[in-house]
Amino acid sequence: MRRQLMERLGAVRRGARRTPVQAAALAAVAAVTLAACSGTGNAASGHAAATATTDPVSITVKPDASGTPASPGSKVTVRANGGKLSEVNVSAADTDAFAGALSTDKRTWTSSALLAPATRYTVLARGEGSDGKPVTKKSTITTAAARDTFVGEYSPDKGTTVGVGMPVSITFNKPIRDKAAVERGLTVTSTPAVEGAWNWMKDRDGKDRIDYRPKAYWKPGTKVTLGMSLSGVDAGGGVYGTQQRLAHFQIGKAVVSTADVNKKTMTVTENGKVIKTLPVSTGKTGFETWNGTMVVLSKVPKIHMDSKTVGIFGPEAYDLGEVDWDVQLTPSGTYAHAAPWNEGKFGRVNGSHGCIGMSTADAKWWYEHVRLGDPVTVVGSKDTVATNNGYGDWNVDWATWKAGSALS
């Protein structure tokens, strides 16, 4: 038997023709041999690697679109499950910016802005899963109405160029009981940076108002941005803000005018250099021009001047008709303008009812050289102009000004 087996094996080595059965047997032996030579578990591990899957990223937004409307004053939270966020944008009609920030691990975005009442927001979030595949989530948030709302009317306007004395001023249409909460929603940034502060006051019509000014006049060329993140801010008693605003403006040349009531002149400087000294006539006894610094509020080439509009009646009443080259300095009625009826008094006699009068030619020249926000300082007169009578902000010393902040 052994001999027969050896002969058969010999025949195989000599290249004898194999039968199908023999070939199958050899294949089976080879398969067993390869399996035996492999390390334990490698075959199973290779199979697992081939069939593994990566879970896709999912993005969730809170508050979500289902159920009852979200409460005003809520924050927006966006989370990536199984991946990371790359961008989140929250938008609504009449909204400039809705700020927020990603967490360090980029898995969560939380808004710093608050949701305004009775508003529909669109949330667009982008991210990617651990497999690198991008994902986008679009959602909506609708908020409930509030008992009442407030807005602030701000100055200067977006995109304007203003003078070095221009403060940022916001007047509110509703009483502000929680001034600290509202002030926290306001920012002023500038390039170059300046030291500045907010100060609360009552406007002349009794409305709450807050102004921001730097410690000293702005430098020419400064770029300034007012940020109003007041949406969802409770000003007290459930009166919520609705505004998200970014207002950019810049500072023009340093045009500063100084009117001396004793010398009866107005000296005009531009970037620190005297460019002209004008003879003027200021307020007469009993109608003295306000002392201190005022700021140009507006300019019109013609205006009808009637004393009844500023409360002057009786023997001192006047109606001057159309007056040329009018630069407004206070809401109470102080202007610098052409006063040809006072010809002969300029540089000699103070004969107005509180305005700064000058010749038509000089008034036109000055009108063309000043802009909104240019400071005009009157020296040698009486009764310093009130802080809320236009922009009398510069008549308050710096320590007192800073103390007027609700956050000081």
Side-chain angles (χ1 to χ4, degrees):
M1 182 71 178
R2 180 179 178 82
R3 183 178 178 181
Q4 291 174 346
L5 179 60
M6 293 299 293
E7 288 177 350
R8 290 178 182 173
L9 288 172
V12 170
R13 290 190 185 100
R14 287 192 300 272
R17 186 168 179 266
R18 299 170 184 160
T19 66
V21 173
Q22 289 173 329
L26 287 172
V29 171
V32 171
T33 302
L34 288 173
C37 290
S38 299
T40 54
N42 280 359
S45 297
H47 178 72
T51 59
T53 59
T54 302
D55 292 333
V57 63
S58 63
I59 296 176
T60 57
V61 177
K62 295 294 182 182
D64 57 31
S66 62
T68 58
S71 299
S74 302
K75 290 189 175 184
V76 178
T77 303
V78 181
R79 289 189 172 88
N81 306 300
K84 295 182 179 181
L85 295 167
S86 58
E87 179 186 2
V88 176
N89 180 268
V90 181
S91 60
D94 197 29
T95 296
D96 285 346
F98 199 90
L102 280 170
S103 59
T104 303
D105 61 8
K106 297 185 178 181
R107 297 184 183 276
T108 305
W109 182 91
T110 306
S111 71
S112 54
L114 307 176
L115 294 172
T119 304
R120 179 183 175 87
Y121 291 90
T122 299
V123 182
L124 182 62
R126 293 185 174 90
E128 62 179 30
S130 55
D131 57 1
K133 292 182 179 179
V135 63
T136 299
K137 168 82 172 183
K138 188 173 183 180
S139 181
T140 59
I141 299 171
T142 301
T143 57
R147 181 182 69 82
D148 202 355
T149 60
F150 74 90
V151 295
E153 182 180 353
Y154 61 89
S155 182
D157 290 336
K158 294 180 180 181
T160 55
T161 298
V162 296
V164 296
M166 184 69 198
V168 176
S169 185
I170 305 170
T171 303
F172 298 96
N173 68 334
K174 300 289 173 61
I176 305 299
R177 291 166 52 186
D178 192 343
K179 291 179 171 58
V182 171
E183 189 174 334
R184 277 191 287 268
L186 303 174
T187 58
V188 174
T189 56
S190 66
T191 305
V194 300
E195 180 183 359
W198 294 99
N199 182 288
W200 286 90
M201 66 191 77
K202 289 288 185 182
D203 200 31
R204 281 174 56 81
D205 60 5
K207 293 180 179 179
D208 284 321
R209 170 179 146 191
I210 187 171
D211 284 8
Y212 176 99
R213 72 165 177 88
K215 185 176 181 180
Y217 291 155
W218 302 99
K219 292 181 179 179
T222 300
K223 298 183 185 301
V224 188
T225 298
L226 164 66
M228 298 173 65
S229 186
L230 297 179
S231 67
V233 173
D234 188 348
V239 181
Y240 284 91
T242 61
Q243 292 168 294
Q244 287 291 131
R245 292 283 182 274
L246 285 175
H248 307 283
F249 63 95
Q250 64 181 8
I251 308 301
K253 296 176 181 179
V255 177
V256 179
S257 302
T258 304
D260 188 320
V261 301
N262 295 316
K263 294 181 179 179
K264 301 166 189 63
T265 59
M266 184 160 67
T267 302
V268 184
T269 65
E270 185 176 293
N271 295 334
K273 181 181 178 181
V274 175
I275 57 174
K276 202 160 189 177
T277 298
L278 308 171
V280 299
S281 178
T282 65
K284 61 185 179 181
T285 302
F287 295 90
E288 288 86 355
T289 304
W290 292 113
N291 203 59
T293 298
M294 296 167 275
V295 171
V296 173
L297 302 179
S298 67
K299 302 195 309 178
V300 289
K302 286 185 181 294
I303 193 172
H304 188 107
M305 286 196 173
D306 184 341
S307 66
K308 293 193 293 293
T309 63
V310 292
I312 299 176
F313 301 93
E316 292 290 346
Y318 59 84
D319 186 343
L320 302 174
E322 295 294 317
V323 176
D324 294 331
W325 311 120
D326 309 282
V327 178
Q328 185 182 17
L329 302 179
T330 70
S332 64
T334 307
Y335 282 78
H337 58 79
W341 56 88
N342 272 342
E343 193 69 44
K345 293 183 179 180
F346 307 129
R348 297 180 179 183
V349 179
N350 289 322
S352 79
H353 286 83
C355 291
I356 300 173
M358 60 196 91
S359 71
T360 300
D362 285 345
K364 182 177 185 294
W365 179 90
W366 194 69
Y367 179 97
E368 292 171 345
H369 277 76
V370 296
R371 58 160 47 101
L372 175 72
D374 283 343
V376 179
T377 299
V378 176
V379 298
S381 190
K382 302 192 301 184
D383 298 329
T384 299
V385 64
T387 310
N388 68 348
N389 190 5
Y391 301 131
D393 304 20
W394 299 102
N395 301 303
V396 180
D397 68 84
W398 184 237
T400 303
W401 181 265
K402 291 193 298 181
S405 164
L407 302 178
S408 60

